[in-house]
Amino acid sequence: MTADVEFCQVVTMYQERDLADALAELLVARRLAASVHVEGPVTARFWWDGAVQTVEEWRVTCKTTVDRYDEIEALINTKEHHPYDLPEVLAVPVLAGSDRYLAWIAAETRTAGTPFGEGNTSAGA
């Protein structure tokens, strides 16, 4: 990613919905992501073990800051949090977004401080 990119979406895939949901919960609870979407099932086709494989998977997409990427990747790449031998972990840079939404992502991925909107009377419900 380029040095001037501050935000990204991190994507990974799971064959089990409950594992995808568990990762989503963990990423938000640890403030590694401001928001996580779990979508699926989707059909995946790929080469593995010398043959084309076809499986149903659940896509997990995290909205986060680039400086949180390494922690997210390390978490996903542990057997405790992902059963695959080679989990997909891709970061897609966010080149633009609404100022308010990007500010919310930045605020919610801080390790300390007041969550976005708390103590701010101008924030919407």
Side-chain angles (χ1 to χ4, degrees):
M1 276 189 252
T2 60
D4 60 339
V5 174
E6 185 178 351
F7 301 94
C8 65
Q9 291 188 350
V10 180
V11 178
T12 192
M13 303 293 281
Y14 283 85
Q15 278 188 271
E16 297 85 16
R17 169 73 189 251
D18 60 332
L19 295 177
D21 286 337
L23 179 70
E25 179 69 28
L26 185 62
L27 291 171
V28 173
R30 289 190 181 178
R31 293 188 165 290
L32 295 175
S35 172
V36 180
H37 290 183
V38 176
E39 304 168 275
V42 298
T43 302
R45 288 183 177 77
F46 51 90
W47 279 100
W48 192 254
D49 289 334
V52 174
Q53 308 291 322
T54 303
V55 299
E56 281 194 339
E57 293 182 306
W58 297 87
R59 179 182 299 115
V60 179
T61 305
C62 316
K63 284 72 167 191
T64 191
T65 55
V66 170
D67 63 343
R68 300 302 254 165
Y69 172 79
D70 289 340
E71 292 173 87
I72 293 170
E73 179 186 4
L75 183 80
I76 293 169
N77 277 320
T78 64
K79 280 295 185 185
E80 177 184 358
H81 297 292
H82 208 301
Y84 290 1
D85 291 333
L86 180 61
E88 172 184 353
V89 185
L90 298 174
V92 179
V94 172
L95 302 178
S98 73
D99 290 342
R100 290 184 63 221
Y101 189 77
L102 296 177
W104 173 76
I105 291 173
E108 297 305 330
T109 55
R110 287 192 310 245
T111 55
T114 303
F116 188 80
E118 286 186 20
N120 179 353
T121 57
S122 65

